[in-house]
Amino acid sequence: MAEAVVTVMLENLNSLIQKKFGLICGVNKEMEKLSSILSTICAVLGDAEERQLRDRAIKIWLQKLKDVADELNDILDECSMEASLLEYKRQSSRSTQKVRASFFSCFNPKNTLFRFRIAKRMEDVSDRLDAVANERMKFHLREVVQGRHLQVIDKRQTGSVVDEKHVYGREEDKDKIVEFLVDNSRSSKDLSVYPIVAMGGMGKTTLAQLVYNDERVRRHFEIKIWVCVSEDFDVKRLIKAMIESASGNACDALDMDPLQKRLQKMLERKKFLIVLDDVWNEDQEQWEGLRNVVACGLNGSSIVVTTRLKKVALIMGTIPMHQLSVLSEDDCWSLFNQRAFGNESEERPNLAKIGKESVKKCKGIHWLQRL
Ligand SMILES: Nc1ncnc2c1ncn2[C@@H]1O[C@H](COP(=O)(O)OP(=O)(O)OP(=O)(O)O)[C@@H](O)[C@H]1O
Ligand SMILES: [Mg+2]
């Protein structure tokens, strides 16, 4: 329940950020901060909900979270209304050529008061949410998730293969990333790390697969490596997985030192691309431990990281994160049509109508994962 509430709220918040509402109203920093805290909390909610039945302290923690979430929801509702109003004014002023009047209306006392009030409330709620997020540490929720990680990893394990003809609406994202990777060798001396960030099910892995298999990328990099990281950021396991992905053979070395040397031998004086898919590790030292081993290739070598957590992107990224936006309604429908009807929805017009309505309501996000 809490997971669903927080997820929807995060969607609303991110949608407002994308519409640049925060910039217009001077609350962008607070919104980004809230989004980052919420995505961190979101990651442990499934586990917290399971454990609340046995652990009263977690139940109380979830109740505190719900209280703050209710307050934040009210604020976001007000922001959404204000955003619609601003958009309406912008459009009507455009049609009546009153652009200047509309611009100055941002500074009229009523709007200034609104902005001040919202900024203050957001600051308060962000402090409260921060406290709730910090409190989660004492329940060791991540450790419990890690206790299940073998099962989770198995279910979430990804590889580089993708069925490109059934991927919709990611051309622009793909081109942007591919162009960066290919141009990067001219400008960068250091190993670049390109983070792709979005909520679960939005298509991060799919986009990384498109990039990995792109013809320009194939031609540009001598070595390509795909590793599914998931919750277990064990440097030794990751080095082993990299060796296996690059060589296509099982690697039986057991100790860290021979593993490090073997990987470095493979990467030295080569231009390589590594995809680290589904990273959750927020420990900078562990990341640096891995980065130091692989930072031995030619200029222009790159790492692409996919993660749900902005904090991870901030720790690992050497360039600003690439935030995935939701698919357009048309692309969502193409996907739905293909998955649900095998692209033959015309034969079932009634079901197709219901499908189209669902696509509209879901705004193109989480159901992707469930299809
Ligand atoms: N653009 C798209 N076109 C068609 N299918 C897509 C698209 N994006 C994602 N999907 C499908 O949606 C599902 C979820 O996508 P994906 O695994 O890439 O999401 P994710 O953001 O990596 O999620 P997670 O955070 O759980 O790893 C997959 O079945 C994938 O094939
Ligand atoms: Mg993924």
Side-chain angles (χ1 to χ4, degrees), residues 10 12-13 58 70 76 125-126 249 269 277 281 312 317 322 350 360:
L10 194 52
N12 291 341
L13 186 60
I58 294 183
D70 286 345
L76 292 182
V125 96
S126 157
N249 296 317
R269 288 185 291 279
D277 186 39
N281 171 57
V312 170
H322 182 114
N350 288 342
K360 208 174 198 160

Side-chain angles (χ1 to χ4, degrees), residues 131-147:
V132 173
N134 288 334
E135 208 186 327
R136 89 185 193 284
M137 305 289 188
K138 74 177 184 214
F139 303 123
H140 302 295
L141 291 167
R142 300 256 352 230
E143 269 113 287
V144 177
V145 172
Q146 279 187 357

